[in-house]
Amino acid sequence: MLEVKNLSAAYGQHPSLNDVSINVGSGEIVVILGANGAGKSTLLRAISGICEGKVSGRVTLSGDSLTGLSSDAIVEKGVALVPEGRGIFGDLTVKENLLLGAYSSRAREAERENLERVLSQFPKLQERQSQIARTMSGGEQQMVAIGRAMMSAPEILMLDEPSLGLSPLLCKELFQNLTHVRDLGIGVLLVEQNAKQSLAISDRGYLLENTRITYENSAAALANDPAVQRAYLGAGSKTSDKPSKRTSAPTEAMKRIRTAVDPTPRRSADQQIGGSIDDLVAIATKTSAEAPRGPSKETAIAAKQLAHSKIDVVLKDIEQAAKNARNRSSSEVQKLRPTPSNVSVEADNALPPVIEVYKRPRVEIYRRRPSGQFERD
Ligand code: ATP
């Protein structure tokens, strides 16, 4: 139903998404797994029309093009996003937050029914309708955020790391609630780092690595793939069962996965460094064999004495510097402070790196008219 084809996004010169194609059907939970900075949030933001960077590619919902539409038009078509960090209105009540989710005309017509559906689906929200949102626990606030998105009567619900900061118990409850959303026939696109629990409730999954989709399979197959287990499920690590970033060379299984989706032959290490690895290994082995095995006893003692005398000199320097600082008058200290002129000379000498950050500041104010309708100011 949601079809994303060759979606790319870049912030200035910095590509954050490359040629991504995915799809989500009705009543299906699809998870996107990826490490920090892989481009997961950018993908959801690009689909929802709120990506601050330059976006290209094609997005359709049940054949209707969403490409280039404004974010509210995309909500109107039936795609809702629960952003990372929830974005709820902390000073409003739970019910007010939920009603704000029904601002689109597709949702306004059935506001009462939607509210009843959301409240029956999330019984906790039913009990807490008049509670000020910011006084709720993290997990409850996440429910409010999901409930608010559900108030727009979406066909596709997208969630950006909803389990972030939640206890294992709350995560379980949250993921359980997402299965209820699926049962309503809504497609769920989930971006997560909690691979274990998200794969457990998902139907399918994609791996997004370094801006590209590198693998796709059923959630069960992904959860059982040793390479995925090592990369995202922390298999083999005794200290954590959280997904870890891969730092070692790709395993055979991961190479197999990569080749399945990217048939471009990879250059061997020999080709990349322009010489033979075997030659380098031979040179390294020879050098290490020729190197002295270790210092003699006399050399070791002499080295120790030298180190001690060096440390003594440094300690004396530090003591002297401390004495000088103590004796210095405050006017002298003042002189040492950087003046605007010497600051600018230093600044000129060391130009800070340029970091491009693209932001589209926008605050939209909606008023609820006595008729119950929302109107944009
Ligand atoms: P995380 O799991 O840490 O949230 P992510 O996979 O969601 O990571 P993105 O937030 O999509 O990653 O970011 C992908 C890349 O795009 C990162 O290198 C990030 O620095 C860059 N990026 C994201 N937003 C902006 C922005 N507004 N301006 C400039 N660069 C950005």
Side-chain angles (χ1 to χ4, degrees), residues 138-139 143 162-177 192 194 196-198 201 241-242:
M143 306 268 169
S163 74
L164 204 70
L166 300 189
S167 69
L169 204 66
L170 284 177
C171 278
K172 204 169 166 201
E173 195 180 330
L174 169 89
F175 287 121
Q176 209 50 51
N177 277 314
E192 260 301 333
N194 185 337
K196 197 172 179 180
Q197 287 187 337
S198 56
I201 58 147
D241 69 346
K242 285 198 163 179

Side-chain angles (χ1 to χ4, degrees), residues 11 14 16 35-42 84 161 193 356-358:
Y11 299 100
H14 180 90
S16 292
N36 291 112
K40 304 181 299 296
S41 303
T42 302
E84 191 176 336
E161 296 206 33
Q193 289 209 36
E356 292 170 284
V357 175
Y358 292 77

Side-chain angles (χ1 to χ4, degrees), residues 98-99 101-102 107 111 114-115 118 146-154:
L98 294 178
L99 290 175
E111 184 185 282
N114 281 340
L115 184 62
V118 168
I146 296 173
R148 190 184 56 189
M150 292 288 290
M151 286 293 290
S152 69

Side-chain angles (χ1 to χ4, degrees), residues 124-143:
K124 209 164 237 164
L125 300 186
Q126 170 96 47
E127 296 159 18
R128 310 287 186 90
Q129 283 184 62
S130 50
Q131 186 169 344
I132 297 294
R134 76 179 137 73
T135 65
M136 302 181 88
S137 75
E140 290 161 356
Q141 288 187 24
Q142 192 60 266
M143 306 268 169

